[in-house]
Amino acid sequence: MRRVTLLGLVALMLFVVTACGEAEPEGPPVFEAYPSMEIDLRRSYSVIFTTSVGRLTFQLLPEEAPLAVNSFIFLANEGYYDGVAFHRVVPGVLAETGDATGTGTGNPGYTFEVEQPQRPYERGGIALANDGTPNSNGSRFFFILGDLAGSAEAPHAYTVFGHLKPDHAPSVATLDKIEAAQEEVIIVSVKATEGCLPSGGPFQCS
């Protein structure tokens, strides 16, 4: 009887040690506040998405949407979007992603001002999603798949903060694949790049 009891205690101790050694499952990162402003409005910025169906390159619009661009670059550099799925795709309208919780309503722990769009919602644009109230921009964003002017999908202002690299065939092809995908599309990684200061004309490196 004593032998059975000792064996039971040893088994219990092994279970406790094993359980204590297991790492707690990690959720998406959460940030306490909007990040400090790090972008330079005089520079050009672009972002490369690597997805499960291909790559896309977008040029960002810091002069039109500085808050959105600054937040997006911060989250991209933190790896916030890596592994995140497109949770809503409406062909001809939009492909939405950017919610690390996978619920379609999550944010990175902070929200910020909705900057009024300075250009129309046209195919190839990238805009932040919001709930129609002030200061409800966060991490969620969508690729615009069609002309949303007057669409029920665009009942209020969404901050447009970038557009697909013009005449870039691989990016256009990937956007088409995301729109037509029958299976879940995943963002593998997002890489933000910074251009040089202008020198009397287009952005050039000295």
Side-chain angles (χ1 to χ4, degrees), residues 3-29:
R3 178 181 175 81
V4 173
T5 302
L6 288 174
L7 288 174
L9 288 173
V10 170
L12 179 61
M13 290 177 65
L14 287 174
F15 173 80
V16 170
V17 170
T18 301
C20 290
E22 292 178 352
E24 290 292 327
E26 294 184 4

Side-chain angles (χ1 to χ4, degrees), residues 98-114:
D99 177 10
T101 70
T103 64
T105 60
N107 62 53
Y110 64 84
T111 57
F112 59 97
E113 178 185 346
V114 176

Side-chain angles (χ1 to χ4, degrees), residues 25 27 37 46 92 104 142 186 199-200:
M37 184 63 70
S46 61
F142 57 90
I186 304 294
S199 179

